[in-house]
């Protein structure tokens, strides 16, 4: 099945004083237009075969120099800025009518439109039948696309919740018919059949007082361009993602549509389905409520998990399968992004405006820091934070990344941002020795991988009946590390030889399944967590691997020598060996959506990607990381932990004495944490 996906993203743009920006049509990138208001941007992407390229493309558009020093409002619900709204760029008369009919605030509601087509669907009727199936399963789907649980002002039926208004366990007031941006109650588009749909649509336009088809605000539209397609209009903006929509959501929605395209439903009842969508939009965080979907009546949670299992079983791309499995775990543990959003707002007693300002995304993804200094980014970020709080900063050795930071009471030398006088020499040496790291953690009842130490000259083991990791005992940046089949003597011997080129002692450890996380511990608290993905490219069905690497390296976030948040992917013998093992070479054209790993290790220093995931990691694992730091009497360290959320098992594979902070402050995905300030807090707390 060949799939095409396009996205339209609406968003409000503000200046540094958080005032609406009057967008200049002549200076906007070609993919951007002005929506209802002059400061309401709409990014319109052409259809993609590769859904996981969409987030990068939205970020690329927002990297346009025109958006320098401008900010993207991170929510679907607008701020209290009605008095500053202008809508005189285009179609002023049309927009004036809309403002009078629906109110300016509702016209500023912003969201994501997801356009979908595939080659299995050939006619309008077939696309309409897909719409019916989406409506049937929409009570499940909107749990993963909703981020509008609160509003600014009281509306009939809403009640105060902290500093906001909403309903108990609401998910999306914007999506609901009662409180969202919908047509008047007398405008009824009937999806019961194709005939009733067409008739009700025409009636709404010609007798219901609507201007034209643009004014039909249903959750799903049947549309035509060069071919028929459907437009999903119910996706809220995700406040934690600069692009407004995550890879996880993109993959989930496409997987839903792929699956529903190949299934059938029984006894479709539009009124019941629409009522259940409203029920979940307003009370969807209550997962114990009973619903009937496709003839099955059960709790919402059980119906959802069954549906996720069906998506996983239907997926054919490994990347999609992994994302969907992770999404299922987040759902089970109440760790979806909307769960995290509600917890933050309620825990910190934030108004929607305060939450939005806290999560406001600067439109340019990355701006170089002190470009005049040839120093590592982590050090420059620490310098910037120190200057902003009024501390004196002296660059002692640019080549060695040594700076001195002082106030009128004390001063401190810092090397590479996190080597400080807060940690003793013994602490550093113990963490530097991976064997001693395992020994100390084990003494403190902290899980580590089972393994052995081997010195150069000793007879190597004959083999292991499991997958192993072979690594030097005292290197960083993933140097000399190999992952291999322990039963394959040739692979094992090669891995051992590689490790011994970097050190006279090596470790051979059992490979632990799960995801790897770098937990940054500062002064007894985990301040940031990133998961690091092996350097990779994702196929588009057209480009070769070398072309995909070149395209990924064009990002402003990538350079060399740790001067940017991410390192460029370097084509070398190791990379070529890794792709050959997967059946590719540099000239291979990779099928659309297929991920090709370029390294065996996930180090950012080797071209990997960093994803900030602090909010989704349960507190018990954070406490384990803190305990690991205490075992070494370390004030600042990076704890590398592998977690298998399906089995709830974990293991710490390393504790790092000089953790880089730049990947936490400017991750490839997710919202960065200002951990430079936390380092300074630890230094100057007395």
């Amino acid at each position: 099945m060949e799939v095409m996906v396009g996205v339209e993203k609406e968003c409000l743009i503000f200046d540094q004083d958080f005032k609406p920006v009057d967008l200049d049509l002549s200076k906007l990138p070609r993919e951007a237009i002005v929506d209802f208001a002059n400061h309401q941007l709409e990014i319109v992407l052409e259809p993609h075969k590769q859904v996981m390229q969409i987030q990068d493309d939205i970020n690329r558009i927002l990297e346009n120099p025109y958006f320098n020093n401008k900010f993207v409002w991170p929510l679907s619900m607008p701020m209290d800025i009605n008095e500053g709204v202008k809508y005189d760029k285009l179609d002023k008369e049309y927009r004036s009518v809309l403002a009078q009919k629906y109110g300016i605030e509702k016209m500023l509601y912003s969201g994501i439109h997801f356009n979908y087509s595939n080659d299995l669907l050939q006619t309008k009727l077939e696309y309409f039948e897909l719409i019916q199936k989406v409506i049937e399963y929409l009570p499940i789907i909107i749990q993963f696309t909703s981020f509008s649980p609160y509003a600014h002002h009281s509306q009939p039926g809403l009640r105060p919740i902290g500093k906001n208004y909403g309903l108990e366990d609401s998910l999306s007031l914007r999506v609901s018919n009662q409180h969202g941006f919908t047509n008047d109650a007398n405008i009824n588009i009937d999806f019961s059949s194709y005939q009733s749909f067409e008739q009700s649509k025409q009636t709404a336009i010609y007798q219901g007082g609507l201007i034209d088809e643009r004014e039909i605000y249903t959750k799903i539209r049947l549309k035509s361009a060069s071919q028929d397609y459907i437009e999903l209009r119910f996706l809220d903006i995700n406040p934690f993602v600069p692009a407004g929509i995550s890879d996880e959501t993109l993959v989930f929605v496409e997987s839903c549509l792929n699956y529903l395209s190949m299934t059938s439903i029984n006894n479709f009842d539009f009124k019941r389905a629409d009522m259940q969508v409203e029920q979940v939009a307003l009370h969807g965080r209550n997962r114990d409520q009973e619903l009937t979907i496709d003839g099955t009546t059960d709790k919402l949670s059980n119906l959802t998990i069954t549906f996720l299992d069906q998506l996983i079983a239907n997926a054919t791309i490994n990347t999609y399968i992994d994302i969907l499995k992770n999404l299922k775990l987040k759902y089970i543990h109440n760790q979806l992004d909307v769960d995290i959003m509600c917890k933050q707002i309620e825990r910190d007693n934030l108004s929607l405006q305060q939450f939005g300002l806290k999560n406001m995304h600067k439109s340019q993804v990355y701006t170089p820091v002190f470009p005049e200094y040839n120093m590592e980014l982590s050090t420059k970020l620490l310098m910037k934070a120190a200057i902003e709080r009024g501390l004196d900063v002296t660059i002692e050795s640019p080549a060695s990344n040594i700076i001195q930071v002082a106030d009128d009471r004390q001063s401190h030398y810092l090397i590479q941002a996190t080597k400080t006088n807060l940690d003793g020499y013994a602490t550093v040496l113990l963490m530097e020795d991976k064997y001693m790291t395992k020994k100390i953690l084990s003494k403190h009842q902290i899980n580590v991988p089972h393994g052995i130490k081997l010195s150069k000259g000793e007879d190597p083991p004959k083999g292991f009946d499991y997958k192993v990791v072979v690594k030097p005992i005292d290197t960083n940046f993933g140097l000399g590390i190999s992952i291999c089949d322990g039963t394959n003597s040739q692979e094992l011997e090669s891995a051992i030889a590689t490790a011994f080129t970097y050190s006279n002692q090596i470790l051979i450890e059992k490979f632990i399944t799960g995801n790897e996380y770098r937990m940054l511990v500062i002064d007894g608290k985990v301040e940031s967590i990133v998961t690091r993905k092996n350097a990779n490219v994702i196929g588009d069905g057209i480009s070769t691997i070398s072309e995909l690497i070149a395209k990924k390296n064009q990002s402003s976030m990538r350079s060399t020598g740790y001067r940017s948040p991410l390192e460029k992917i370097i084509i070398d013998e190791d990379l070529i060996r890794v792709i050959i093992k997967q059946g590719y070479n540099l000239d291979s054209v990779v099928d659309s959506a297929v991920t090709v790993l370029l390294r065996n290790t996930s180090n950012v220093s080797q071209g990997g990607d960093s994803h900030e995931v602090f909010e989704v990691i349960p507190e018990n694992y954070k406490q384990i990381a803190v305990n690991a730091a205490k075992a070494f009497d370390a004030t600042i360290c990076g704890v590398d932990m592998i977690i298998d959320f399906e089995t709830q098992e974990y293991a710490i594979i390393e504790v790092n004495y000089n953790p880089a902070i730049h990947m936490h402050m400017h991750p490839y995905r997710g919202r960065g944490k200002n951990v430079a300030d936390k380092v300074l807090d630890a230094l100057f707390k007395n």
Side-chain angles (χ1 to χ4, degrees), residues 201-263:
K201 185 173 69 171
Q202 296 304 321
T203 300
I205 294 172
Y206 295 117
Q207 299 179 15
L210 301 186
I211 298 172
D212 56 34
E213 193 167 330
R214 288 178 298 171
E215 200 188 338
I216 297 177
Y217 299 123
T218 56
K219 297 175 182 63
I220 309 174
R221 283 180 177 175
L222 175 61
K223 302 193 76 171
S224 293
S226 58
Q227 66 176 68
D228 295 322
Y229 65 100
I230 66 170
E231 178 188 43
L232 309 184
R233 299 168 53 85
F234 54 80
L235 283 73
D236 288 336
I237 294 172
N238 185 329
F240 300 118
V241 185
I245 186 167
S246 66
D247 288 341
E248 189 176 70
T249 300
L250 288 161
V251 167
F252 169 73
V253 175
E254 185 193 319
S255 298
C256 290
L257 297 171
N258 292 345
Y259 170 70
L260 293 174
S261 294
M262 297 183 289
T263 60

Side-chain angles (χ1 to χ4, degrees), residues 9 20 56 72 82 133 168-169 190 199 214 305 313 343 358 587 603-604 609 686:
K9 182 206 173 179
D56 282 344
V72 179
N82 292 357
K133 288 182 271 190
E168 193 68 39
D169 296 322
D190 187 355
Q199 183 176 348
R214 288 178 298 171
I305 291 169
K343 288 173 187 175
K358 181 179 178 182
D587 294 324
N603 299 70
V604 172
D609 303 330
N686 296 323

Side-chain angles (χ1 to χ4, degrees), residues 53-214:
Q53 185 63 40
I54 287 174
Q55 189 174 172
D56 282 344
D57 282 354
I58 293 174
N59 287 335
R60 174 183 53 78
I61 293 164
L62 292 174
E63 282 183 328
N64 187 287
Y66 176 68
F67 295 114
N68 280 357
N69 300 316
K70 297 180 179 68
F71 291 82
V72 179
W73 182 243
L75 296 166
S76 285
M77 307 303 256
M79 281 201 294
D80 266 337
I81 40 78
N82 292 357
E83 67 281 357
V85 173
K86 292 187 285 185
Y87 44 89
D88 56 1
K89 282 282 190 280
L90 296 169
D91 286 345
K92 183 176 181 179
E93 183 178 344
Y94 173 65
R95 297 175 190 206
S96 297
V97 171
L98 295 180
Q100 291 172 2
K101 289 177 72 171
Y102 300 99
I104 288 177
E105 184 179 73
K106 284 194 174 182
M107 291 307 302
L108 292 180
Y109 286 4
S110 300
I112 307 283
H113 298 176
F114 189 101
N115 302 316
Y116 173 90
S117 66
N118 73 51
D119 60 354
L120 295 182
L121 307 175
Q122 302 293 326
T123 66
K124 278 188 171 63
L125 181 57
E126 289 173 323
Y127 276 101
F128 178 78
E129 289 172 349
L130 174 58
I131 287 175
Q132 287 185 321
K133 288 182 271 190
V134 173
I135 293 171
E136 181 72 14
Y137 282 89
L138 204 51
I140 291 174
I141 295 170
I142 63 172
Q143 294 176 95
F144 302 92
T145 62
S146 296
F147 301 96
S148 300
Y150 310 111
H152 285 293
H153 301 296
S154 179
Q155 299 180 37
L158 298 182
R159 67 176 183 81
I161 298 179
K163 296 182 179 179
N164 305 295
Y165 289 87
L167 295 166
E168 193 68 39
D169 296 322
S170 57
L171 277 176
S172 181
L173 300 178
R174 171 181 167 270
V175 168
S176 79
N177 294 328
Q178 185 178 354
H179 303 288
F181 183 25
T182 55
N183 299 119
D184 294 336
N186 64 323
I187 306 297
N188 294 307
I189 306 300
D190 187 355
F191 288 89
S192 298
S193 68
Y194 183 66
Q195 291 74 23
S196 63
F197 166 74
E198 287 290 345
Q199 183 176 348
S200 62
K201 185 173 69 171
Q202 296 304 321
T203 300
I205 294 172
Y206 295 117
Q207 299 179 15
L210 301 186
I211 298 172
D212 56 34
E213 193 167 330
R214 288 178 298 171

Side-chain angles (χ1 to χ4, degrees), residues 454-455 457-461:
L454 190 67
S455 298
E458 290 184 349
D459 292 334

Side-chain angles (χ1 to χ4, degrees), residues 202-341:
Q202 296 304 321
T203 300
I205 294 172
Y206 295 117
Q207 299 179 15
L210 301 186
I211 298 172
D212 56 34
E213 193 167 330
R214 288 178 298 171
E215 200 188 338
I216 297 177
Y217 299 123
T218 56
K219 297 175 182 63
I220 309 174
R221 283 180 177 175
L222 175 61
K223 302 193 76 171
S224 293
S226 58
Q227 66 176 68
D228 295 322
Y229 65 100
I230 66 170
E231 178 188 43
L232 309 184
R233 299 168 53 85
F234 54 80
L235 283 73
D236 288 336
I237 294 172
N238 185 329
F240 300 118
V241 185
I245 186 167
S246 66
D247 288 341
E248 189 176 70
T249 300
L250 288 161
V251 167
F252 169 73
V253 175
E254 185 193 319
S255 298
C256 290
L257 297 171
N258 292 345
Y259 170 70
L260 293 174
S261 294
M262 297 183 289
T263 60
S264 59
I265 56 173
N266 301 307
N267 303 318
F268 175 68
D269 183 337
F270 172 62
K271 289 184 179 180
R272 171 186 53 76
D274 193 48
M275 180 189 68
Q276 292 189 154
V277 173
E278 184 78 356
Q279 183 179 335
V280 174
L282 298 180
H283 302 287
R285 282 187 286 151
N286 172 17
R287 296 172 180 173
D288 288 333
Q289 59 185 301
E290 283 200 347
L291 301 177
T292 299
I293 295 179
D294 198 12
T296 300
T297 302
D298 204 341
K299 289 182 179 180
L300 175 60
S301 58
N302 293 336
L303 293 168
T304 302
I305 291 169
T306 298
F307 184 63
L308 287 169
D309 285 337
Q310 290 167 334
L311 296 185
I312 292 167
N314 185 68
T316 57
I317 301 170
N318 289 336
T319 304
Y320 282 28
I321 293 170
D322 291 342
I323 287 174
L324 292 169
K325 284 182 176 179
N326 188 55
L327 191 63
K328 176 183 172 182
L329 289 170
K330 289 169 72 171
Y331 181 82
I332 291 170
H333 295 289
N334 295 307
Q335 292 292 328
L336 296 178
D337 286 348
V338 68
D339 297 321
I340 294 163
M341 174 186 181

